[in-house]
Amino acid sequence: MNPEQLWTGVLMAVTPFLLFGLGGCYNIDTTSPLIFTDHHADSRFGQALTLHQHGSETMLVVGAPKGQCNYTDIVRGGVAYKCSFTNHNASLAGNCTELQLDNRGNDYSGLTGRQIYNKSDQWLGASMSSGGPNGSLVICRPRYRYYFYKSYGAQQQQRDLLGGCFVLTQENFDTPNILLPCITGGDRRCQFGFSVDAKKDHIVYGAVGLGRQEGQFWRSDSNGEERQKRPTKKVGGTKDYTYMGYAVTSGDFKGDSDPEYAISVPRHKQAFGKVVLYDSDLNEYNALENGDMGSYFGHTLVTSDLNNDGYDDLMVGAPFFTDSFSTNGSLWELGKVFIYYNDRNL
Ligand SMILES: *[C@@H]1O[C@H](CO)[C@@H](O)[C@H](O)[C@H]1NC(C)=O
Ligand SMILES: *[C@@H]1O[C@H](CO)[C@@H](O)[C@H](O)[C@H]1NC(C)=O
Ligand SMILES: *[C@@H]1O[C@H](CO)[C@@H](O)[C@H](O)[C@H]1NC(C)=O
Ligand SMILES: *[C@@H]1O[C@H](CO)[C@@H](O)[C@H](O)[C@H]1NC(C)=O
Ligand SMILES: *[C@@H]1O[C@H](CO)[C@@H](O)[C@H](O)[C@H]1NC(C)=O
Ligand SMILES: *[C@@H]1O[C@H](CO)[C@@H](O)[C@H](O)[C@H]1NC(C)=O
């Protein structure tokens, strides 16, 4: 489980006790939390959250994908904040500072000073993941746009949602690696970094936008280098709008100490959805198909060794799963979460 998901789990677990005031039993001080917030309205501060350890510094990294950074020509491009909580005294205000990721405003280096990349509305901080203590911190901007001017005479332009991510490593924390893989290779509408999961030795990225939103996923080493990608496969009819890479995770499912990858395709086959398992050579070896129509099976994925048997288990969320109420049998979108335990005998 990555720290972002762990934190979400912790927050969800403590919420009932906050509501019912039973905190005393659990040693959680429910009356005076340490609070972090943004200075700009409507920034969606807290949409993504991860814990990261960089050397001796432990930080809470908070994404505010509609936040305003200090470059005024970038309108609500999103901000990733680094928040410190070394001082646990809750009567103080939490301190967050903007992570300076690319140190540049918008890019006007096109012909006659035209803007060729647009960082406004790029959703920086919409997805992020930490590779663990002293590992890589990955922060993505899935709506980073590239303008392709079809005709230099007119103002005709094609806007491509490239997406992209920043990889902050132990060595290069202040000058992150800028990943923009979809600028080459034919399809610029890739929305790279729509989802991301960093582990100690590798990073996996979802890119839902390839082609007609059929999507793909990428894997890299922990620096964001040595990238490889896999597109979705056409299975029975169309693969358009299947959104492969909506969620991604990795774990040692096979128990061979190499990583395997779980990649969701939530709109696969009339939106029944599936989660495809890839081995460490990125070959598909299995798939989970337990969704119903429109359930968004694979909206969320979490890997963790839940039963402590040394093998990673996989959790899959399907927030729009339709089922009948146990009381009266009427059908409703109740949502479902599936746990697939690792059966080491399979
Ligand atoms: C992380 O790096 C710091 C300083 O370089 C070191 O003291 C610490 O032990 C490292 N932590 C881990 C888990 O490797
Ligand atoms: C934004 O803030 C950072 C950190 O305070 C600073 O280094 C940088 O120069 C600022 N950029 C602009 C355009 O003001
Ligand atoms: C915030 O920063 C100030 C100034 O450095 C410091 O005094 C204060 O303790 C910090 N607050 C927290 C919660 O760490
Ligand atoms: C917490 O900070 C407040 C305000 O600065 C101070 O009055 C109080 O003594 C601090 N509490 C502790 C335990 O340090
Ligand atoms: C960049 O994006 C912003 C927000 O979407 C938009 O207002 C602005 O016109 C865009 N710039 C160009 C050159 O299209
Ligand atoms: C069944 O129960 C749910 C939850 O109480 C309620 O919203 C729904 O209207 C009920 N359906 C019927 C047919 O009574």
Side-chain angles (χ1 to χ4, degrees), residues 161-341:
L161 288 172
L162 289 180
C165 298
F166 298 90
V167 180
L168 295 74
T169 63
Q170 184 70 358
E171 296 75 30
N172 289 333
F173 198 82
D174 298 318
T175 50
N177 215 345
I178 301 175
L179 300 196
L180 216 52
C182 298
I183 191 69
T184 56
D187 198 312
R188 300 199 199 92
R189 283 163 283 162
C190 130
Q191 294 180 55
F192 186 83
F194 188 90
S195 59
V196 62
D197 188 23
K199 293 284 157 65
K200 186 169 172 287
D201 299 318
H202 62 271
I203 306 166
V204 55
Y205 317 80
V208 292
L210 182 86
R212 292 172 187 265
Q213 306 288 141
E214 60 212 43
Q216 59 181 194
F217 78 98
W218 296 65
R219 173 186 69 180
S220 75
D221 67 14
S222 58
N223 297 312
E225 305 296 347
E226 292 179 39
R227 293 186 292 271
Q228 294 166 281
K229 63 178 174 179
R230 286 289 182 274
T232 185
K233 263 198 213 156
K234 200 167 188 151
V235 187
T238 180
K239 59 179 178 177
D240 293 351
Y241 305 103
T242 51
Y243 292 173
M244 183 197 218
Y246 197 94
V248 296
T249 187
S250 68
D252 185 8
F253 303 131
K254 290 188 166 188
D256 55 4
S257 52
D258 286 328
E260 282 79 42
Y261 303 90
I263 313 294
S264 73
V265 194
R267 291 174 52 86
H268 166 73
K269 214 161 81 181
Q270 291 88 44
F272 275 75
K274 69 172 176 175
V275 175
V276 186
L277 302 179
Y278 288 83
D279 65 19
S280 49
D281 296 322
L282 302 192
N283 295 316
E284 183 176 335
Y285 74 94
N286 213 337
L288 316 169
E289 297 191 51
N290 289 96
D292 68 354
M293 189 181 275
S295 60
Y296 250 83
F297 180 77
H299 184 276
T300 31
L301 297 174
V302 175
T303 306
S304 186
D305 178 5
L306 292 170
N307 51 2
N308 216 16
D309 65 354
Y311 295 84
D312 279 331
D313 308 303
L314 178 64
M315 282 155 276
V316 179
F320 303 110
F321 200 100
T322 301
D323 214 343
S324 47
F325 279 114
S326 50
T327 45
N328 60 19
S330 75
L331 289 172
W332 208 256
E333 280 181 356
L334 300 177
K336 269 189 190 178
V337 174
F338 301 76
I339 295 181
Y340 295 90
Y341 283 108

Side-chain angles (χ1 to χ4, degrees), residues 69-73 97-100 103-105:
C69 68
N70 67 356
Y71 286 94
T72 48
D73 69 322
T97 54
E98 188 178 327
L99 278 167
Q100 295 293 314
N103 297 319
R104 280 169 68 188

